[in-house]
């Protein structure tokens, strides 16, 4: 098991994409424990406490926020999701799986991250990057330098800052998204 994890270089584009996330209007069975938050962007969101993703160190710049939900659009063609804070319901980050527009996105995972997220199987990792969507949509960027890694097995997450010059903090993605969707 660990011999697979300790191979330091992973190509995340070969992993399955997990359907994790809470639809904006989820449907829950009555016997499930349901919580609610009233968010700035989505109104009232119902969720199961098992859906909460815990960031022990918070997210850089938001270290006091530890509990998040991934909010999805009911439209399956929408590549964007939202990382919604439960601790401060005014805060939500647009996120995207970078493999959608950059299929060769790879980076190294170190032993510290393996321990922090209790990674036992790399097939349970979800990788997202934060997207900035300005008023001028053609200037949309993704932070490829600091991916968000989530262990879907235990819902522990961490944003890591990559120690290389291969990826940019403000990587333009509109053209790559157009190309990705024109090839499907």
């Amino acid at each position: 098991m660990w011999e697979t994890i300790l191979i330091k270089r992973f190509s995340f584009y070969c992993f399955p994409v997990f359907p994790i996330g809470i639809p904006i209007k989820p449907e829950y069975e009555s016997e499930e424990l349901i919580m609610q938050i009233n968010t700035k962007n989505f109104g009232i969101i119902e969720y199961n406490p098992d859906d909460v993703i815990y960031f022990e160190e918070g997210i850089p710049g938001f270290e006091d926020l530890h509990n998040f939900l991934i909010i999805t659009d009911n439209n399956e063609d929408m590549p964007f999701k939202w990382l919604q804070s439960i601790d401060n319901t005014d805060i939500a980050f647009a996120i995207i799986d970078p493999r959608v527009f950059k299929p060769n996105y790879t980076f190294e995972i170190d032993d510290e991250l393996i321990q922090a997220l209790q990674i036992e199987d790399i097939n349970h990792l979800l990788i997202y990057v934060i997207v900035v969507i300005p008023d001028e949509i053609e200037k949309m960027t993704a932070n490829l330098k600091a991916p968000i890694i989530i262990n879907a097995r235990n819902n522990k997450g961490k944003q890591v800052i990559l120690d290389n010059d291969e990826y940019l903090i403000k990587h333009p993605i509109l053209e790559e998204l157009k190309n990705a969707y024109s090839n499907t």
Side-chain angles (χ1 to χ4, degrees), residues 106-124:
T106 60
F107 56 89
E108 295 180 9
I109 291 182
D110 61 23
D111 294 334
E112 182 182 330
L113 183 63
I114 290 169
Q115 291 175 352
L117 298 184
Q118 299 172 342
I119 299 168
E120 294 178 2
D121 184 345
I122 58 175
N123 291 311
H124 293 121

Side-chain angles (χ1 to χ4, degrees), residues 49-177:
D50 292 340
D51 296 330
V52 176
I53 299 165
Y54 181 70
F55 288 78
E56 185 174 337
E57 300 171 9
I59 291 179
F62 299 88
E63 290 83 1
D64 58 331
L65 305 180
H66 300 278
N67 300 290
F68 289 84
L69 299 170
I70 294 179
I71 308 296
T72 61
D73 191 313
N74 294 332
N75 178 354
E76 291 181 19
D77 294 334
M78 175 61 78
F80 300 102
K81 299 180 187 225
W82 295 91
L83 189 63
Q84 173 66 57
S85 172
I86 295 175
D87 303 321
N88 180 343
T89 58
D90 288 346
I91 304 292
F93 302 100
I95 58 174
I96 190 171
D97 181 333
R99 298 168 294 183
V100 168
F101 61 90
K102 196 161 200 63
N104 61 346
Y105 186 73
T106 60
F107 56 89
E108 295 180 9
I109 291 182
D110 61 23
D111 294 334
E112 182 182 330
L113 183 63
I114 290 169
Q115 291 175 352
L117 298 184
Q118 299 172 342
I119 299 168
E120 294 178 2
D121 184 345
I122 58 175
N123 291 311
H124 293 121
L125 295 182
L126 303 172
I127 310 299
Y128 294 105
V129 292
I130 293 178
V131 177
V132 175
I133 306 173
D135 290 336
E136 296 178 53
I137 195 129
E138 58 275 350
K139 294 183 179 178
M140 179 174 23
T141 61
N143 184 350
L144 296 181
K145 184 85 168 170
I148 293 171
I149 301 160
I150 298 168
N151 183 346
R153 195 65 168 240
N154 60 18
N155 279 4
K156 289 187 177 192
K158 183 172 181 157
Q159 184 176 27
V160 297
I161 299 172
L162 303 179
D163 188 22
N164 68 41
D165 295 328
E166 187 177 352
Y167 300 119
L168 301 173
I169 294 171
K170 293 184 177 185
H171 179 88
I173 65 170
L174 186 61
E175 287 304 315
E176 289 175 331
L177 276 173

